[in-house]
Amino acid sequence: MRVLFQGAGAIGLAGAALFTDAHEVAVVSRSPGADGRAAFPRRVSIADPTDSGQVGSRHSSCAGGRGRADGRRASSSDGWSVTRVAATRRVTITDWIAAAADGIWDLIVLTTRPGDLDAEVVSAIRDISPAFIATTSQVEGDLERAQAVFPGTQAVIVGPAFLSERLDPGAPADCVRPADSRVGRGGRRAEPGHEVRFWAPAGAPRFLVAGPRGAVRSLVRGLGRLVLPVPMEAVLLPPTVFIPFVAELSIRDGDWAALKSHLDRPANAATEAVRSRLGVPVAVFGTAAHVVLAALERIVPIDVTNYAGRHFARHLGQTRDMLVGWAGSADSAHALQELITALDANGA
């Protein structure tokens, strides 16, 4: 299939990198440059979450200058401590005019909420007229908004099954380097939004996809094992459980240890959110959440204690919108309302 990812952020670039081996893919940015450009997202293969920021005498080098670290361990200043980078993929970044001139595109993946798209972007997507639109937003009603904005397409919702993050401007871009190293001759500094690294479980699908049965079946035939068809609840229910904890993490300024010490409020809010979605009471317990958080620290091969705070700080507005949606449809939502008030007081 020919697939466009709207938005040259972490999800768009990582998703495109994961699709490049099997499909023709490009990422659309509003300002890619006069002749277009490329990005080189890096897939983290092995990581040591216990070693983040521990530089000491260890160091890394780039093998051949192509963004691969050698076997020695390296620690980066922003929380991803890696021993090896599995692959670097070249991703084409284009603009809407060039994309429209480049022929027929089967699928456009929206990494911006449908209601937040600029009028020019909406017009460009309508001109391209893809067969399918996929929204990555899991906010209640955004699938219906996508279908309303693009009535001539079949809309689905996709849930990314990978972790991705933009490098901050000025961070080393060609390889993973110690926190105190300088970019030497031939090195590059990350540019905002276009230097991304990601982790995807080996052998797993890259997106969960839900929506109208016919559209989902067609996408599965076209994309193969890159997507996994699931019921709509399998995409929309998990956020009701984890987003309240994300909100609490943001209220605690990204402090993972502080979150683990204040689990009662987000657990009560998650219970209210699940009830608003399912219509039946299902308790979420803080003790169970503590076990899950501890398991994430051990299992996920990145330093989630640092990554989670940085990542979700970039999406406070969406976090708040999800809480508001659940609070508005719940019979009693005291904990959800308390989270919303605390987020607002914290500047969300």
Side-chain angles (χ1 to χ4, degrees):
M1 294 184 72
R2 302 190 76 222
V3 183
L4 280 179
F5 284 82
Q6 171 271 323
I11 291 178
L13 290 174
L18 289 165
F19 275 38
T20 51
D21 288 342
H23 302 279
E24 185 175 349
V25 183
V27 174
V28 186
S29 171
R30 297 192 64 183
S31 54
D35 299 318
R37 58 176 300 164
F40 298 88
R42 302 200 311 271
R43 181 176 177 180
V44 174
S45 174
I46 301 172
D48 180 2
T50 67
D51 191 52
S52 176
Q54 303 298 315
V55 177
S57 61
R58 296 165 178 157
H59 63 282
S60 69
S61 63
C62 289
R66 294 187 299 275
R68 294 176 182 266
D70 65 13
R72 291 168 287 183
R73 181 167 300 174
S75 295
S76 66
S77 60
D78 53 2
W80 291 56
S81 176
V82 305
T83 55
R84 181 164 60 90
V85 175
T88 299
R89 292 286 185 265
R90 184 186 189 280
V91 172
T92 299
I93 301 178
T94 186
D95 59 26
W96 290 107
I97 294 175
D102 197 27
I104 297 173
W105 294 92
D106 302 302
L107 167 66
I108 294 181
V109 180
L110 304 179
T111 64
T112 301
R113 293 183 60 191
D116 293 339
L117 293 170
D118 294 341
E120 301 94 314
V121 173
V122 171
S123 178
I125 294 175
R126 287 174 176 169
D127 288 342
I128 291 174
S129 188
F132 304 97
I133 287 283
T135 177
T136 58
S137 172
Q138 295 166 319
V139 177
E140 295 282 348
D142 271 1
L143 175 60
E144 292 74 17
R145 293 184 186 95
Q147 188 65 77
V149 173
F150 306 107
T153 66
Q154 300 182 72
V156 298
I157 183 170
V158 292
F162 55 86
L163 301 180
S164 59
E165 186 176 32
R166 298 179 304 186
L167 290 176
D168 291 330
D174 276 342
C175 65
V176 181
R177 298 173 184 267
D180 60 352
S181 70
R182 296 181 179 180
V183 175
R185 184 168 54 188
R188 293 186 296 117
R189 290 286 185 177
E191 298 180 23
H194 296 310
E195 298 291 350
V196 166
R197 57 187 156 194
F198 61 94
W199 171 71
R206 304 317 181 195
F207 287 93
L208 307 179
V209 57
R213 184 174 301 176
V216 170
R217 285 179 176 173
S218 296
L219 283 175
V220 171
R221 283 197 300 268
L223 296 173
R225 290 183 295 176
L226 290 171
V227 295
L228 177 68
V230 295
M232 186 63 69
E233 292 301 330
V235 175
L236 296 182
L237 186 59
T240 63
V241 177
F242 73 80
I243 286 296
F245 295 93
V246 166
E248 190 69 42
L249 180 63
S250 296
I251 292 166
R252 305 289 168 183
D253 296 321
D255 188 327
W256 185 268
L259 168 64
K260 291 173 70 174
S261 299
H262 297 82
L263 294 175
D264 287 344
R265 177 168 64 181
N268 291 336
T271 298
E272 295 172 355
V274 171
R275 186 176 67 244
S276 75
R277 183 71 200 172
L278 295 181
V280 295
V282 178
V284 178
F285 297 103
T287 51
H290 194 282
V291 171
V292 171
L293 294 175
L296 288 174
E297 296 175 30
R298 294 191 303 270
I299 296 171
V300 177
I302 64 171
D303 186 354
V304 293
T305 64
N306 285 313
Y307 163 82
R310 291 194 310 274
H311 174 77
F312 290 109
R314 293 179 171 133
H315 302 282
L316 285 176
Q318 183 165 315
T319 296
R320 186 186 187 281
D321 287 345
M322 297 177 94
L323 296 176
V324 169
W326 299 323
S329 59
D331 294 334
S332 176
H334 302 298
L336 283 168
Q337 291 291 354
E338 187 177 342
L339 275 181
I340 294 166
T341 300
L343 272 178
D344 291 343
N346 208 45

